[in-house]
Amino acid sequence: MHELAVTQSILDIVLQNASQAQATKITNIYLVIGDLSSIVDDSVQFYWDIISKDSIAEGAQLQFRRITTQFECLDCHEVYQPDGDSIICPHCGSTRIKVLSGEEFYLEAIDIEK
Amino acid sequence: MNEQQKITIVQNIMNANDGLAEQNRQNLLSARLFSINIMASPGAGKTTLIEKTLHAFTPSHRVLVVDGDIATTYDADRAAAAGAKAIQINTGGDCHLDAMMVSRALSQTTLSEYDLLIVENVGNLVCPANFELGTYKNVLVASVPEGDDKPHKYPGMYRGVDVVVLNKIDLLPYVDFDSEFFSKGLQVLNPNVEIIPLSCRTNEGLEKWFGWLNKEMDIFKKETS
Ligand SMILES: Nc1nc2c(ncn2[C@@H]2O[C@H](COP(=O)(O)OP(=O)(O)OP(=O)(O)O)[C@@H](O)[C@H]2O)c(=O)[nH]1
Ligand SMILES: [Mg+2]
Ligand SMILES: [Zn+2]
Protein backbone atom coordinates (compact mmCIF):
# COMPACT_ATOMS: atom_id res chain seq x y z
CA MET A 1 0.00 0.00 0.00
CA HIS A 2 1.03 3.54 -0.60
CA GLU A 3 0.01 4.96 2.77
CA LEU A 4 3.60 5.84 3.65
CA ALA A 5 3.87 8.28 0.76
CA VAL A 6 0.44 9.67 1.55
CA THR A 7 1.29 10.08 5.23
CA GLN A 8 4.51 11.89 4.35
CA SER A 9 2.49 14.23 2.19
CA ILE A 10 0.06 14.91 5.06
CA LEU A 11 2.96 15.66 7.41
CA ASP A 12 4.50 18.11 4.93
CA ILE A 13 1.25 20.03 4.52
CA VAL A 14 0.59 20.06 8.26
CA LEU A 15 4.06 21.28 9.22
CA GLN A 16 4.05 23.99 6.59
CA ASN A 17 0.71 25.38 7.74
CA ALA A 18 1.62 25.07 11.42
CA SER A 19 4.86 26.99 10.98
CA GLN A 20 3.07 29.77 9.12
CA ALA A 21 0.75 30.05 12.11
CA GLN A 22 3.73 29.93 14.50
CA ALA A 23 2.39 26.88 16.28
CA THR A 24 4.36 25.14 19.00
CA LYS A 25 2.27 21.98 18.94
CA ILE A 26 -0.28 20.28 16.70
CA THR A 27 -3.03 18.42 18.52
CA ASN A 28 -5.55 17.31 15.89
CA ILE A 29 -5.53 16.75 12.15
CA TYR A 30 -8.81 16.51 10.26
CA LEU A 31 -8.75 14.40 7.11
CA VAL A 32 -11.56 13.81 4.65
CA ILE A 33 -11.20 10.59 2.67
CA GLY A 34 -13.62 9.18 0.12
CA ASP A 35 -13.93 5.43 -0.24
CA LEU A 36 -12.95 5.54 -3.94
CA SER A 37 -9.46 6.64 -2.92
CA SER A 38 -8.64 3.25 -1.34
CA ILE A 39 -6.76 4.61 1.66
CA VAL A 40 -6.72 2.56 4.87
CA ASP A 41 -7.03 4.69 8.03
CA ASP A 42 -5.11 2.28 10.26
CA SER A 43 -2.04 2.26 8.04
CA VAL A 44 -1.96 6.04 7.86
CA GLN A 45 -2.12 6.17 11.67
CA PHE A 46 0.63 3.54 11.91
CA TYR A 47 3.01 5.48 9.67
CA TRP A 48 2.00 8.74 11.25
CA ASP A 49 3.21 7.63 14.68
CA ILE A 50 6.61 6.81 13.17
CA ILE A 51 7.22 9.77 10.86
CA SER A 52 5.80 12.53 13.09
CA LYS A 53 8.20 11.61 15.91
CA ASP A 54 10.36 14.50 17.13
CA SER A 55 8.32 17.07 15.20
CA ILE A 56 5.75 19.46 16.67
CA ALA A 57 3.12 17.11 15.21
CA GLU A 58 4.22 14.19 17.39
CA GLY A 59 1.24 12.80 19.30
CA ALA A 60 -1.33 14.61 17.15
CA GLN A 61 -4.59 12.73 16.67
CA LEU A 62 -5.65 11.93 13.14
CA GLN A 63 -9.38 12.44 12.78
CA PHE A 64 -10.74 10.68 9.72
CA ARG A 65 -14.00 11.62 8.13
CA ARG A 66 -14.85 8.84 5.67
CA ILE A 67 -17.17 9.60 2.80
CA THR A 68 -19.01 6.64 1.28
CA THR A 69 -19.15 6.22 -2.47
CA GLN A 70 -22.47 7.26 -3.94
CA PHE A 71 -23.49 7.09 -7.58
CA GLU A 72 -26.54 8.49 -9.25
CA CYS A 73 -27.98 6.76 -12.31
CA LEU A 74 -28.52 9.31 -15.06
CA ASP A 75 -31.30 7.21 -16.62
CA CYS A 76 -33.56 6.22 -13.71
CA HIS A 77 -32.09 8.59 -11.08
CA GLU A 78 -31.53 5.81 -8.58
CA VAL A 79 -28.92 6.84 -5.97
CA TYR A 80 -26.86 3.86 -4.84
CA GLN A 81 -23.67 2.65 -3.19
CA PRO A 82 -21.81 0.18 -5.43
CA ASP A 83 -21.65 -3.14 -3.56
CA GLY A 84 -18.20 -4.27 -4.66
CA ASP A 85 -19.43 -6.88 -7.16
CA SER A 86 -20.80 -4.52 -9.77
CA ILE A 87 -20.88 -0.78 -10.29
CA ILE A 88 -23.75 -0.83 -12.77
CA CYS A 89 -27.08 0.73 -11.70
CA PRO A 90 -28.79 -2.02 -9.63
CA HIS A 91 -32.22 -0.71 -10.59
CA CYS A 92 -32.15 -0.44 -14.39
CA GLY A 93 -28.72 -1.79 -15.39
CA SER A 94 -27.57 1.49 -16.90
CA THR A 95 -23.89 2.39 -17.11
CA ARG A 96 -24.56 6.12 -17.35
CA ILE A 97 -23.83 7.35 -13.87
CA LYS A 98 -22.60 10.40 -12.03
CA VAL A 99 -20.29 10.20 -9.00
CA LEU A 100 -21.97 12.04 -6.13
CA SER A 101 -19.32 11.33 -3.51
CA GLY A 102 -16.38 9.12 -2.66
CA GLU A 103 -13.52 10.93 -4.41
CA GLU A 104 -12.67 13.28 -1.53
CA PHE A 105 -9.04 13.21 -0.49
CA TYR A 106 -7.97 16.27 1.41
CA LEU A 107 -6.84 17.82 4.64
CA GLU A 108 -9.57 19.97 6.13
CA ALA A 109 -8.08 21.60 9.21
CA ILE A 110 -5.63 21.27 12.10
CA ASP A 111 -5.81 22.22 15.77
CA ILE A 112 -2.69 23.90 17.08
CA GLU A 113 -1.30 25.40 20.26
CA LYS A 114 0.92 28.43 20.33
CA MET B 1 0.65 30.42 27.68
CA ASN B 2 -1.12 27.88 25.51
CA GLU B 3 -3.44 29.38 22.99
CA GLN B 4 -5.60 26.85 21.12
CA GLN B 5 -6.55 27.54 17.57
CA LYS B 6 -8.14 25.75 14.64
CA ILE B 7 -6.66 26.43 11.21
CA THR B 8 -8.74 25.63 8.15
CA ILE B 9 -6.60 24.31 5.34
CA VAL B 10 -8.57 22.35 2.72
CA GLN B 11 -5.62 21.16 0.71
CA ASN B 12 -5.51 18.15 -1.57
CA ILE B 13 -3.26 15.53 -0.01
CA MET B 14 -1.71 14.64 -3.34
CA ASN B 15 -0.67 18.22 -4.12
CA ALA B 16 3.05 17.59 -3.84
CA ASN B 17 2.99 14.67 -6.25
CA ASP B 18 0.60 16.41 -8.63
CA GLY B 19 2.92 19.44 -8.78
CA LEU B 20 5.89 17.29 -9.72
CA ALA B 21 3.80 15.42 -12.27
CA GLU B 22 2.98 18.75 -13.87
CA GLN B 23 6.70 19.56 -14.08
CA ASN B 24 7.37 16.20 -15.75
CA ARG B 25 4.54 16.92 -18.20
CA GLN B 26 6.06 20.30 -19.10
CA ASN B 27 9.56 18.82 -19.50
CA LEU B 28 8.23 16.11 -21.79
CA LEU B 29 6.23 18.62 -23.81
CA SER B 30 9.16 20.94 -24.34
CA ALA B 31 11.35 17.99 -25.37
CA ARG B 32 8.48 16.95 -27.70
CA LEU B 33 8.67 13.45 -26.27
CA PHE B 34 5.43 11.49 -26.47
CA SER B 35 4.93 9.42 -23.31
CA ILE B 36 2.73 6.67 -21.93
CA ASN B 37 2.39 5.19 -18.45
CA ILE B 38 1.47 1.50 -18.53
CA MET B 39 -0.36 0.22 -15.47
CA ALA B 40 -1.67 -3.27 -14.69
CA SER B 41 -1.83 -6.03 -12.11
CA PRO B 42 1.28 -8.17 -11.68
CA GLY B 43 1.69 -10.50 -14.63
CA ALA B 44 -0.94 -8.94 -16.90
CA GLY B 45 1.66 -8.71 -19.65
CA LYS B 46 3.07 -5.17 -19.44
CA THR B 47 6.64 -6.16 -20.25
CA THR B 48 5.58 -8.56 -23.00
CA LEU B 49 3.47 -5.82 -24.61
CA ILE B 50 6.41 -3.43 -24.34
CA GLU B 51 8.70 -5.97 -26.04
CA LYS B 52 6.21 -6.39 -28.90
CA THR B 53 5.89 -2.62 -29.18
CA LEU B 54 9.67 -2.19 -29.28
CA HIS B 55 10.04 -4.75 -32.06
CA ALA B 56 7.52 -2.78 -34.10
CA PHE B 57 8.74 0.73 -33.27
CA THR B 58 12.52 0.68 -32.69
CA PRO B 59 13.35 0.38 -36.38
CA SER B 60 11.80 3.81 -36.95
CA HIS B 61 11.64 5.40 -33.48
CA ARG B 62 14.06 6.12 -30.69
CA VAL B 63 12.41 4.62 -27.62
CA LEU B 64 13.15 5.20 -23.94
CA VAL B 65 11.71 2.76 -21.40
CA VAL B 66 11.52 3.53 -17.69
CA ASP B 67 10.80 0.42 -15.66
CA GLY B 68 9.45 0.52 -12.15
CA ASP B 69 9.99 -2.60 -10.11
CA ILE B 70 10.10 -3.33 -6.44
CA ALA B 71 13.53 -4.95 -6.54
CA THR B 72 14.81 -6.60 -9.72
CA THR B 73 16.10 -5.37 -13.10
CA TYR B 74 14.59 -8.20 -15.22
CA ASP B 75 12.04 -6.00 -16.95
CA ALA B 76 14.55 -3.27 -17.83
CA ASP B 77 16.91 -5.95 -19.17
CA ARG B 78 14.12 -7.28 -21.38
CA ALA B 79 13.40 -3.78 -22.72
CA ALA B 80 17.09 -3.17 -23.43
CA ALA B 81 17.36 -6.52 -25.21
CA ALA B 82 14.42 -5.50 -27.38
CA GLY B 83 16.21 -2.37 -28.57
CA ALA B 84 15.29 0.45 -26.21
CA LYS B 85 17.36 2.61 -23.95
CA ALA B 86 16.15 1.37 -20.55
CA ILE B 87 16.29 2.97 -17.12
CA GLN B 88 15.37 0.95 -14.06
CA ILE B 89 13.71 2.46 -11.01
CA ASN B 90 13.75 0.23 -7.96
CA THR B 91 11.02 1.53 -5.71
CA GLY B 92 12.49 -0.23 -2.67
CA GLY B 93 9.21 -1.77 -1.61
CA ASP B 94 6.86 0.91 -2.82
CA CYS B 95 3.88 -0.42 -4.71
CA HIS B 96 3.75 2.34 -7.33
CA LEU B 97 5.88 4.87 -9.14
CA ASP B 98 5.52 8.49 -8.14
CA ALA B 99 6.30 11.67 -10.03
CA MET B 100 9.54 12.23 -8.09
CA MET B 101 10.96 8.81 -9.04
CA VAL B 102 10.13 9.42 -12.70
CA SER B 103 11.62 12.90 -12.58
CA ARG B 104 14.91 11.50 -11.23
CA ALA B 105 14.98 8.77 -13.86
CA LEU B 106 14.32 11.24 -16.68
CA SER B 107 17.10 13.54 -15.50
CA GLN B 108 19.61 10.75 -16.28
CA THR B 109 19.14 11.23 -20.00
CA THR B 110 18.50 13.79 -22.73
CA LEU B 111 14.77 13.66 -23.45
CA SER B 112 14.93 15.33 -26.84
CA GLU B 113 16.94 12.36 -28.14
CA TYR B 114 13.83 10.14 -28.08
CA ASP B 115 10.48 9.93 -29.87
CA LEU B 116 8.63 7.65 -27.47
CA LEU B 117 8.79 7.18 -23.71
CA ILE B 118 7.19 4.10 -22.20
CA VAL B 119 6.92 3.94 -18.42
CA GLU B 120 6.16 0.51 -16.98
CA ASN B 121 4.55 1.07 -13.60
CA VAL B 122 4.79 -1.40 -10.72
CA GLY B 123 2.32 -4.27 -11.07
CA ASN B 124 -0.59 -3.21 -8.87
CA LEU B 125 -4.26 -2.46 -9.45
CA VAL B 126 -4.82 -0.02 -6.61
CA CYS B 127 -2.00 2.36 -5.88
CA PRO B 128 -0.71 3.75 -9.22
CA ALA B 129 -4.07 5.45 -9.83
CA ASN B 130 -3.37 7.90 -7.03
CA PHE B 131 0.02 8.94 -8.34
CA GLU B 132 0.04 10.86 -11.58
CA LEU B 133 3.42 10.75 -13.29
CA GLY B 134 2.98 13.47 -15.89
CA THR B 135 2.85 11.19 -18.93
CA TYR B 136 0.78 12.33 -21.91
CA LYS B 137 -1.37 9.19 -21.94
CA ASN B 138 -2.23 6.55 -19.36
CA VAL B 139 -2.68 2.96 -20.47
CA LEU B 140 -4.19 0.13 -18.48
CA VAL B 141 -3.42 -3.46 -19.41
CA ALA B 142 -6.08 -5.88 -18.22
CA SER B 143 -5.81 -9.57 -18.96
CA VAL B 144 -8.41 -12.27 -19.47
CA PRO B 145 -7.38 -14.60 -16.61
CA GLU B 146 -7.77 -11.78 -14.07
CA GLY B 147 -11.53 -11.92 -14.59
CA ASP B 148 -14.22 -9.71 -16.04
CA ASP B 149 -15.11 -8.07 -12.72
CA LYS B 150 -11.94 -6.03 -12.24
CA PRO B 151 -13.36 -2.68 -13.47
CA HIS B 152 -16.17 -3.17 -10.96
CA LYS B 153 -13.81 -3.95 -8.09
CA TYR B 154 -11.06 -1.42 -8.81
CA PRO B 155 -12.97 1.50 -10.30
CA GLY B 156 -10.32 4.01 -9.21
CA MET B 157 -7.74 2.36 -11.42
CA TYR B 158 -9.87 2.21 -14.56
CA ARG B 159 -11.31 5.66 -14.39
CA GLY B 160 -8.39 7.92 -15.24
CA VAL B 161 -6.95 5.93 -18.13
CA ASP B 162 -7.05 6.87 -21.82
CA VAL B 163 -7.11 3.37 -23.28
CA VAL B 164 -7.55 -0.17 -21.98
CA VAL B 165 -5.65 -3.04 -23.56
CA LEU B 166 -7.32 -6.39 -22.88
CA ASN B 167 -4.45 -8.85 -23.18
CA LYS B 168 -4.35 -12.67 -23.37
CA ILE B 169 -7.49 -13.05 -25.48
CA ASP B 170 -5.97 -16.35 -26.67
CA LEU B 171 -7.16 -17.66 -23.28
CA LEU B 172 -10.83 -16.71 -23.81
CA PRO B 173 -11.87 -20.29 -24.73
CA TYR B 174 -10.52 -21.58 -21.42
CA VAL B 175 -11.79 -18.97 -18.97
CA ASP B 176 -15.22 -17.63 -18.06
CA PHE B 177 -14.83 -14.06 -19.18
CA ASP B 178 -17.91 -12.03 -20.01
CA SER B 179 -16.61 -9.27 -22.30
CA GLU B 180 -19.84 -7.33 -22.02
CA PHE B 181 -19.76 -7.26 -18.20
CA PHE B 182 -16.13 -6.12 -18.42
CA SER B 183 -16.96 -3.29 -20.87
CA LYS B 184 -19.95 -2.18 -18.84
CA GLY B 185 -17.82 -1.82 -15.72
CA LEU B 186 -15.46 0.36 -17.73
CA GLN B 187 -18.20 2.51 -19.21
CA VAL B 188 -19.55 3.52 -15.82
CA LEU B 189 -16.56 5.59 -14.81
CA ASN B 190 -14.87 6.03 -18.16
CA PRO B 191 -17.63 6.30 -20.78
CA ASN B 192 -15.53 7.04 -23.86
CA VAL B 193 -12.49 4.89 -23.22
CA GLU B 194 -11.30 2.69 -26.07
CA ILE B 195 -10.77 -1.05 -25.43
CA ILE B 196 -8.19 -2.89 -27.51
CA PRO B 197 -8.45 -6.68 -27.15
CA LEU B 198 -5.25 -8.46 -28.14
CA SER B 199 -2.94 -11.36 -27.51
CA CYS B 200 0.80 -11.01 -27.12
CA ARG B 201 1.00 -14.76 -27.64
CA THR B 202 -0.76 -15.01 -31.03
CA ASN B 203 -0.21 -11.33 -32.02
CA GLU B 204 -3.94 -11.01 -32.77
CA GLY B 205 -5.05 -7.39 -32.26
CA LEU B 206 -1.51 -5.98 -31.92
CA GLU B 207 -1.89 -3.96 -35.13
CA LYS B 208 -4.75 -2.09 -33.52
CA TRP B 209 -2.57 -1.21 -30.53
CA PHE B 210 0.23 0.00 -32.81
CA GLY B 211 -2.39 2.00 -34.69
CA TRP B 212 -3.57 3.66 -31.50
CA LEU B 213 0.03 4.56 -30.60
CA ASN B 214 0.75 5.98 -34.06
CA LYS B 215 -2.46 8.01 -34.03
CA GLU B 216 -1.73 9.47 -30.59
CA MET B 217 1.89 10.24 -31.53
CA ASP B 218 0.63 12.14 -34.57
CA ILE B 219 -1.81 14.17 -32.48
CA PHE B 220 0.97 14.91 -30.00
CA LYS B 221 3.34 16.02 -32.75
CA LYS B 222 0.79 18.44 -34.11
CA GLU B 223 0.06 19.83 -30.67
CA THR B 224 3.72 20.43 -29.87
CA SER B 225 4.91 21.81 -33.20
N1 LIG C 1 -1.34 -16.81 -22.86
C1 LIG C 1 -0.77 -15.61 -22.86
N2 LIG C 1 0.23 -15.33 -22.01
C2 LIG C 1 0.77 -14.10 -22.05
C3 LIG C 1 0.32 -13.10 -22.93
N3 LIG C 1 1.03 -11.95 -22.72
C4 LIG C 1 1.91 -12.25 -21.73
N4 LIG C 1 1.77 -13.53 -21.32
C5 LIG C 1 2.52 -14.24 -20.26
O1 LIG C 1 2.19 -13.67 -19.00
C6 LIG C 1 3.31 -13.74 -18.10
C7 LIG C 1 3.58 -12.36 -17.49
O2 LIG C 1 3.99 -11.45 -18.51
P1 LIG C 1 4.83 -10.13 -18.22
O3 LIG C 1 4.91 -9.38 -19.49
O4 LIG C 1 6.10 -10.44 -17.52
O5 LIG C 1 3.85 -9.40 -17.21
P2 LIG C 1 4.07 -8.00 -16.42
O6 LIG C 1 2.75 -7.36 -16.37
O7 LIG C 1 5.19 -7.24 -17.02
O8 LIG C 1 4.47 -8.54 -14.98
P3 LIG C 1 5.14 -7.72 -13.76
O9 LIG C 1 6.04 -6.68 -14.33
O10 LIG C 1 5.85 -8.78 -12.98
O11 LIG C 1 3.98 -7.13 -12.99
C8 LIG C 1 4.45 -14.25 -18.93
O12 LIG C 1 4.58 -15.63 -18.68
C9 LIG C 1 4.02 -14.00 -20.37
O13 LIG C 1 4.57 -14.91 -21.28
C10 LIG C 1 -0.76 -13.42 -23.83
O14 LIG C 1 -1.25 -12.63 -24.64
N5 LIG C 1 -1.26 -14.70 -23.74
MG1 LIG D 1 6.86 -6.41 -16.09
ZN1 LIG E 1 -30.77 3.26 -13.27
Side-chain angles (χ1 to χ4, degrees), chain B residues 142-163:
Chain B
S143 65
V144 166
E146 289 166 49
D148 51 25
D149 59 353
K150 291 302 163 288
H152 299 271
K153 287 196 170 150
Y154 302 93
M157 204 56 212
Y158 283 84
R159 80 173 310 191
V161 300
D162 300 294
V163 64

Tab-separated table of all heavy atoms in Angstrom, chain B residues 142-163:
chain	number	residue	atom	x	y	z
B	142	ALA	N	-5.345	-4.849	-18.949
B	142	ALA	CA	-6.080	-5.884	-18.217
B	142	ALA	C	-5.784	-7.191	-18.920
B	142	ALA	O	-5.334	-7.185	-20.060
B	142	ALA	CB	-7.568	-5.575	-18.257
B	143	SER	N	-6.020	-8.305	-18.264
B	143	SER	CA	-5.806	-9.574	-18.963
B	143	SER	C	-6.924	-10.545	-18.604
B	143	SER	O	-7.457	-10.514	-17.500
B	143	SER	CB	-4.440	-10.159	-18.627
B	143	SER	OG	-4.372	-10.509	-17.265
B	144	VAL	N	-7.257	-11.375	-19.583
B	144	VAL	CA	-8.413	-12.271	-19.473
B	144	VAL	C	-8.423	-13.112	-18.186
B	144	VAL	O	-9.433	-13.163	-17.495
B	144	VAL	CB	-8.519	-13.136	-20.751
B	144	VAL	CG1	-9.470	-14.295	-20.570
B	144	VAL	CG2	-8.940	-12.257	-21.934
B	145	PRO	N	-7.297	-13.756	-17.804
B	145	PRO	CA	-7.377	-14.601	-16.607
B	145	PRO	C	-7.639	-13.847	-15.304
B	145	PRO	O	-8.011	-14.467	-14.315
B	145	PRO	CB	-6.016	-15.309	-16.564
B	145	PRO	CG	-5.209	-14.760	-17.657
B	145	PRO	CD	-6.034	-13.890	-18.514
B	146	GLU	N	-7.469	-12.528	-15.295
B	146	GLU	CA	-7.769	-11.779	-14.066
B	146	GLU	C	-9.260	-11.763	-13.769
B	146	GLU	O	-9.672	-11.516	-12.632
B	146	GLU	CB	-7.332	-10.315	-14.208
B	146	GLU	CG	-5.856	-10.089	-14.200
B	146	GLU	CD	-5.527	-8.683	-14.696
B	146	GLU	OE1	-6.139	-7.714	-14.212
B	146	GLU	OE2	-4.672	-8.572	-15.584
B	147	GLY	N	-10.082	-11.922	-14.807
B	147	GLY	CA	-11.531	-11.924	-14.591
B	147	GLY	C	-12.191	-10.668	-15.100
B	147	GLY	O	-11.569	-9.605	-15.179
B	148	ASP	N	-13.478	-10.820	-15.427
B	148	ASP	CA	-14.223	-9.714	-16.036
B	148	ASP	C	-14.740	-8.692	-15.024
B	148	ASP	O	-15.320	-7.681	-15.389
B	148	ASP	CB	-15.408	-10.277	-16.845
B	148	ASP	CG	-16.250	-11.245	-16.008
B	148	ASP	OD1	-16.244	-11.129	-14.765
B	148	ASP	OD2	-16.897	-12.127	-16.605
B	149	ASP	N	-14.532	-8.970	-13.736
B	149	ASP	CA	-15.109	-8.075	-12.719
B	149	ASP	C	-14.142	-6.988	-12.250
B	149	ASP	O	-14.498	-6.168	-11.408
B	149	ASP	CB	-15.580	-8.892	-11.512
B	149	ASP	CG	-14.440	-9.697	-10.882
B	149	ASP	OD1	-13.328	-9.722	-11.453
B	149	ASP	OD2	-14.670	-10.291	-9.822
B	150	LYS	N	-12.935	-6.956	-12.772
B	150	LYS	CA	-11.938	-6.025	-12.237
B	150	LYS	C	-12.336	-4.545	-12.341
B	150	LYS	O	-12.134	-3.804	-11.382
B	150	LYS	CB	-10.555	-6.271	-12.863
B	150	LYS	CG	-9.923	-7.576	-12.430
B	150	LYS	CD	-9.766	-7.657	-10.917
B	150	LYS	CE	-9.538	-9.083	-10.410
B	150	LYS	NZ	-10.729	-9.962	-10.471
B	151	PRO	N	-12.949	-4.095	-13.451
B	151	PRO	CA	-13.356	-2.676	-13.466
B	151	PRO	C	-14.402	-2.362	-12.395
B	151	PRO	O	-14.500	-1.239	-11.931
B	151	PRO	CB	-13.952	-2.487	-14.870
B	151	PRO	CG	-13.431	-3.625	-15.676
B	151	PRO	CD	-13.229	-4.759	-14.729
B	152	HIS	N	-15.169	-3.383	-11.995
B	152	HIS	CA	-16.175	-3.171	-10.960
B	152	HIS	C	-15.541	-3.118	-9.574
B	152	HIS	O	-16.023	-2.449	-8.680
B	152	HIS	CB	-17.216	-4.303	-10.990
B	152	HIS	CG	-17.972	-4.391	-12.277
B	152	HIS	ND1	-19.138	-3.686	-12.485
B	152	HIS	CD2	-17.722	-5.054	-13.429
B	152	HIS	CE1	-19.578	-3.952	-13.711
B	152	HIS	NE2	-18.734	-4.769	-14.307
B	153	LYS	N	-14.443	-3.857	-9.417
B	153	LYS	CA	-13.811	-3.947	-8.091
B	153	LYS	C	-12.740	-2.892	-7.861
B	153	LYS	O	-12.450	-2.543	-6.726
B	153	LYS	CB	-13.178	-5.329	-7.916
B	153	LYS	CG	-14.208	-6.405	-7.704
B	153	LYS	CD	-13.570	-7.656	-7.155
B	153	LYS	CE	-14.643	-8.647	-6.707
B	153	LYS	NZ	-14.183	-10.024	-6.839
B	154	TYR	N	-12.122	-2.429	-8.932
B	154	TYR	CA	-11.060	-1.419	-8.808
B	154	TYR	C	-11.387	-0.207	-9.666
B	154	TYR	O	-10.606	0.157	-10.542
B	154	TYR	CB	-9.707	-2.018	-9.211
B	154	TYR	CG	-9.312	-3.218	-8.408
B	154	TYR	CD1	-9.616	-4.499	-8.844
B	154	TYR	CD2	-8.665	-3.073	-7.181
B	154	TYR	CE1	-9.280	-5.619	-8.086
B	154	TYR	CE2	-8.323	-4.177	-6.425
B	154	TYR	CZ	-8.629	-5.450	-6.878
B	154	TYR	OH	-8.292	-6.538	-6.138
B	155	PRO	N	-12.531	0.412	-9.411
B	155	PRO	CA	-12.969	1.498	-10.298
B	155	PRO	C	-11.977	2.656	-10.357
B	155	PRO	O	-11.800	3.277	-11.400
B	155	PRO	CB	-14.301	1.947	-9.688
B	155	PRO	CG	-14.351	1.377	-8.322
B	155	PRO	CD	-13.487	0.160	-8.323
B	156	GLY	N	-11.275	2.889	-9.249
B	156	GLY	CA	-10.325	4.008	-9.206
B	156	GLY	C	-9.257	3.864	-10.276
B	156	GLY	O	-8.826	4.837	-10.900
B	157	MET	N	-8.828	2.637	-10.497
B	157	MET	CA	-7.742	2.362	-11.420
B	157	MET	C	-8.170	2.562	-12.879
B	157	MET	O	-7.403	3.022	-13.709
B	157	MET	CB	-7.379	0.899	-11.187
B	157	MET	CG	-6.014	0.491	-11.555
B	157	MET	SD	-4.724	1.413	-10.798
B	157	MET	CE	-3.586	1.278	-12.140
B	158	TYR	N	-9.413	2.169	-13.173
B	158	TYR	CA	-9.867	2.212	-14.556
B	158	TYR	C	-10.342	3.591	-14.979
B	158	TYR	O	-10.461	3.880	-16.151
B	158	TYR	CB	-10.998	1.199	-14.767
B	158	TYR	CG	-10.498	-0.212	-14.880
B	158	TYR	CD1	-10.249	-0.981	-13.751
B	158	TYR	CD2	-10.234	-0.769	-16.124
B	158	TYR	CE1	-9.763	-2.272	-13.855
B	158	TYR	CE2	-9.754	-2.061	-16.241
B	158	TYR	CZ	-9.521	-2.805	-15.103
B	158	TYR	OH	-9.038	-4.080	-15.225
B	159	ARG	N	-10.603	4.437	-14.013
B	159	ARG	CA	-11.314	5.657	-14.387
B	159	ARG	C	-10.450	6.698	-15.076
B	159	ARG	O	-10.913	7.357	-15.988
B	159	ARG	CB	-12.059	6.231	-13.196
B	159	ARG	CG	-11.290	7.004	-12.216
B	159	ARG	CD	-12.274	7.602	-11.249
B	159	ARG	NE	-13.352	8.279	-11.978
B	159	ARG	CZ	-14.234	9.064	-11.427
B	159	ARG	NH1	-14.215	9.241	-10.144
B	159	ARG	NH2	-15.131	9.688	-12.148
B	160	GLY	N	-9.186	6.828	-14.672
B	160	GLY	CA	-8.394	7.916	-15.235
B	160	GLY	C	-7.648	7.563	-16.510
B	160	GLY	O	-6.902	8.376	-17.034
B	161	VAL	N	-7.827	6.338	-17.029
B	161	VAL	CA	-6.952	5.930	-18.128
B	161	VAL	C	-7.529	6.304	-19.496
B	161	VAL	O	-8.730	6.459	-19.665
B	161	VAL	CB	-6.632	4.421	-18.071
B	161	VAL	CG1	-5.938	4.090	-16.763
B	161	VAL	CG2	-7.889	3.587	-18.234
B	162	ASP	N	-6.641	6.437	-20.483
B	162	ASP	CA	-7.048	6.871	-21.824
B	162	ASP	C	-7.397	5.708	-22.732
B	162	ASP	O	-8.127	5.871	-23.701
B	162	ASP	CB	-5.917	7.689	-22.456
B	162	ASP	CG	-5.609	8.923	-21.622
B	162	ASP	OD1	-6.476	9.795	-21.542
B	162	ASP	OD2	-4.521	8.997	-21.019
B	163	VAL	N	-6.825	4.541	-22.437
B	163	VAL	CA	-7.106	3.366	-23.276
B	163	VAL	C	-6.904	2.117	-22.421
B	163	VAL	O	-6.076	2.109	-21.506
B	163	VAL	CB	-6.191	3.366	-24.533
B	163	VAL	CG1	-4.738	3.222	-24.144
B	163	VAL	CG2	-6.574	2.271	-25.521
